[in-house]
Amino acid sequence: PFVPLRRITPSELATHGARKNETKTYWTVLEGKVYDMTPYLPYHPGGEKELLRVAGKDGTKLFNLTHPWVNWDNMLRGCEVGILVSENEMLK
Ligand code: HEM
């Protein structure tokens, strides 16, 4: 059956940030896709701290500044939570 992607707003994304996070899971956005980075944190060659800089927000710019050659789409397969939509889009 067709399973639509879960839609996530910037405010929900923000509840998975580095601070004041009761969920204890850390999400980021790459090219409009929302990922749960939590299982990947211990494996990041650049360290957990760098990943947490983009927790709860869009990581696309910083990611591409640091290592545009890394294939995140492949690496984070299975960690996708849904797609980012604006608060307005969510009301439609
Ligand atoms: C290195 C993955 C996000 C900072 C790496 C490498 C991979 C990787 C595979 C090794 C690359 C290589 O040696 O060619 C990821 C994934 C990310 C992510 C999947 C998103 C979820 C970030 C972010 C930063 C960052 C947001 C923030 C600045 C670094 C740094 C290194 C690195 C500094 C170099 C580590 C070293 O060689 O000493 N990352 N990264 N990464 N990453 Fe990330």
Side-chain angles (χ1 to χ4, degrees):
F2 172 68
V3 182
L5 289 173
R6 184 143 117 59
R7 299 188 306 156
I8 294 140
T9 59
S11 52
E12 184 182 3
L13 176 65
T15 66
H16 298 269
R19 292 183 297 155
K20 283 202 296 176
N21 177 344
E22 277 151 33
T23 72
K24 297 293 170 227
T25 59
Y26 302 93
W27 294 5
T28 193
V29 174
L30 294 167
E31 311 267 0
K33 295 187 188 183
V34 181
Y35 290 98
D36 183 352
M37 307 185 282
T38 319
Y40 183 64
L41 285 175
Y43 302 102
H44 181 229
E48 299 200 2
K49 225 177 117 192
E50 296 284 42
L51 280 187
L52 291 178
R53 288 171 65 186
V54 295
K57 44 193 161 188
D58 195 316
T60 311
K61 268 191 196 154
L62 198 50
F63 183 97
N64 286 329
L65 272 174
T66 317
H67 37 43
W69 58 88
V70 171
N71 189 337
W72 49 269
D73 214 358
N74 263 323
M75 295 194 56
L76 297 173
R77 187 160 295 153
C79 297
E80 198 175 347
V81 183
I83 53 164
L84 186 68
V85 300
S86 68
E87 313 283 347
N88 272 338
E89 194 67 34
M90 195 58 138
L91 301 173
K92 289 180 187 170

